[in-house]
Amino acid sequence: MRQKIELAVKIFIYATFIVPLIVLPSAFIFPFIVPKVVIFRSLVEIMLGAYVLLLIINWKKYKPTLSPLTLAVFMFYVVSFGLSTFIGVDPYHSFWDN
């Protein structure tokens, strides 16, 4: 079971690299943006669910490691999110919008 989930996650990771090539001109009002966003977010949600399953199966093997790079990326995210929230024209939309 674990190996099948790992393989599925790897396939979904490779599938995310194909998403920029997708264009569905007659299905959406904005064919160059909406399908890519919907498909990419769906793939990420599926990968997150599979990762949670892997964590449930074997926590010690799949738990995220705390490295300096992980901390730096997390701090960059927190600082950029905070700046965009408080410096934006409308802090409410800066916090809740994309």
Side-chain angles (χ1 to χ4, degrees):
M1 178 77 171
R2 188 187 86 236
Q3 292 173 347
K4 290 181 182 179
I5 296 173
E6 285 179 0
L7 178 64
V9 169
K10 288 178 185 177
I11 289 171
F12 287 131
I13 288 172
Y14 294 134
T16 59
F17 291 111
I18 299 171
V19 170
L21 304 175
I22 296 173
V23 177
L24 302 172
S26 62
F28 295 97
I29 296 172
F30 301 106
F32 297 104
I33 299 169
V34 175
K36 295 173 187 174
V37 169
V38 169
I39 293 170
F40 182 76
R41 287 185 179 183
S42 300
L43 288 171
V44 169
E45 293 253 350
I46 292 168
M47 285 187 287
L48 178 65
Y51 180 65
V52 168
L53 283 175
L54 287 172
L55 285 174
I56 291 170
I57 291 171
N58 190 351
W59 170 259
K60 290 183 180 181
K61 182 176 180 184
Y62 296 107
K63 71 177 181 174
T65 58
L66 205 58
S67 68
L69 179 63
T70 306
L71 290 174
V73 170
F74 178 73
M75 288 308 297
F76 174 77
Y77 175 76
V78 169
V79 169
S80 64
F81 183 74
L83 284 175
S84 67
T85 298
F86 296 115
I87 295 176
V89 175
D90 186 1
Y92 177 80
H93 284 101
S94 296
F95 183 78
W96 290 109
D97 203 18
N98 288 334

